[in-house]
Amino acid sequence: MAINSQRIQENIEKAKTGDQVAFTFLLDFYWNEVYAFMLKRTQNETDTEDIVIETFAKAFDRIITYNPEYAFNTWLIAIAKNVHIDLLRKKKSSLFVETTEEQERSARNIADSSPTAEDEIIKEQNLSRLLGCIRQMKPQYQEVLQLRYFQEMSYQEIASQLNEPLNNIKVKILRAKKLLLEILKK
């Protein structure tokens, strides 16, 4: 079924009222376009994904300000450009931040891919397959799925733990679930 501009506008209006299904529709419909645009600019998949996640989080947070006289994708691209500029500024300023030895040691110890106690206990075939599929995902998606569904943390608790805005966490979890579904279908 072709998606027409009327259906897009209907979902934008629903999203303005807080409709999560409409948010998901818009995220799914525009994700690849915004991602491709930013990938050309950044030449870095990790930065691009972070930028696009933050773009959608900001867009959904401020969707009430969207002016329908302009194309929605144009509005999203403008947000993405601003997020990219902010990221560049942050990277530039962080080049001169001094760190202590303790901070550097803890930063090196963050990526621990060893199996957790939960991995050892869980033996059921379906859950093992699910965990295998989750492990195929990027670490940031593994982390939010782990916190949400295995540690049963709320969105707000995850946002606090990861020191990220709540909307970023919502978008990451939504994207992680979509990617997990694609992996499971293979």
Side-chain angles (χ1 to χ4, degrees):
M1 176 175 131
I3 297 174
N4 60 27
S5 61
Q6 180 182 351
R7 183 161 177 222
I8 292 167
Q9 285 304 319
E10 287 171 1
N11 278 284
I12 291 169
E13 291 307 314
K14 287 179 184 176
K16 285 181 177 182
T17 67
D19 185 322
Q20 290 296 317
V21 174
F23 283 141
T24 303
F25 171 85
L26 294 169
L27 176 78
D28 289 345
F29 188 75
Y30 287 106
W31 178 274
N32 289 340
E33 181 178 353
V34 177
Y35 185 90
F37 177 84
M38 287 313 303
L39 187 58
K40 286 178 188 171
R41 288 179 69 116
T42 67
Q43 302 290 309
N44 180 309
E45 286 184 14
T46 303
D47 285 349
T48 297
E49 209 156 83
D50 290 344
I51 290 167
V52 176
I53 286 170
E54 190 167 339
T55 296
F56 279 97
K58 286 184 179 212
F60 294 156
D61 205 25
R62 298 180 181 100
I63 196 160
I64 200 75
T65 66
Y66 167 68
N67 182 348
E69 291 179 23
Y70 303 100
F72 192 71
N73 60 338
T74 304
W75 185 65
L76 288 171
I77 296 293
I79 294 170
K81 286 178 182 177
N82 290 333
V83 170
H84 183 220
I85 290 167
D86 291 346
L87 178 73
L88 292 174
R89 285 183 186 142
K90 193 183 293 182
K91 280 187 176 184
K92 186 176 181 182
S93 69
S94 71
L95 291 175
F96 304 105
V97 174
E98 290 188 30
T99 58
T100 65
E101 250 184 73
E102 176 68 28
Q103 290 170 323
E104 288 182 25
R105 258 197 314 273
S106 73
R108 281 189 226 107
N109 293 331
I110 288 174
D112 180 22
S113 61
S114 62
T116 64
E118 291 85 359
D119 291 335
E120 299 298 328
I121 294 170
I122 300 168
K123 300 284 184 190
E124 294 179 38
Q125 185 178 9
N126 288 339
L127 194 48
S128 294
R129 179 173 176 252
L130 179 63
L131 290 172
C133 291
I134 290 173
R135 284 191 194 103
Q136 293 174 34
M137 300 173 77
K138 291 186 177 183
Q140 65 180 345
Y141 293 135
Q142 290 181 31
E143 184 175 35
V144 294
L145 290 175
Q146 172 73 19
L147 294 172
R148 179 71 178 144
Y149 297 106
F150 292 97
Q151 295 183 22
E152 298 179 353
M153 294 175 77
S154 71
Y155 291 121
Q156 188 60 55
E157 290 169 331
I158 296 169
S160 296
Q161 180 164 334
L162 299 181
N163 197 24
E164 288 190 37
L166 179 61
N167 278 338
N168 283 20
I169 298 302
K170 288 179 180 178
V171 172
K172 275 186 184 178
I173 290 173
L174 183 65
R175 182 76 178 143
K177 290 189 317 189
K178 182 181 176 193
L179 292 170
L180 182 59
L181 182 61
E182 290 173 11
I183 292 170
L184 286 168
K185 285 181 179 178
K186 289 181 184 177

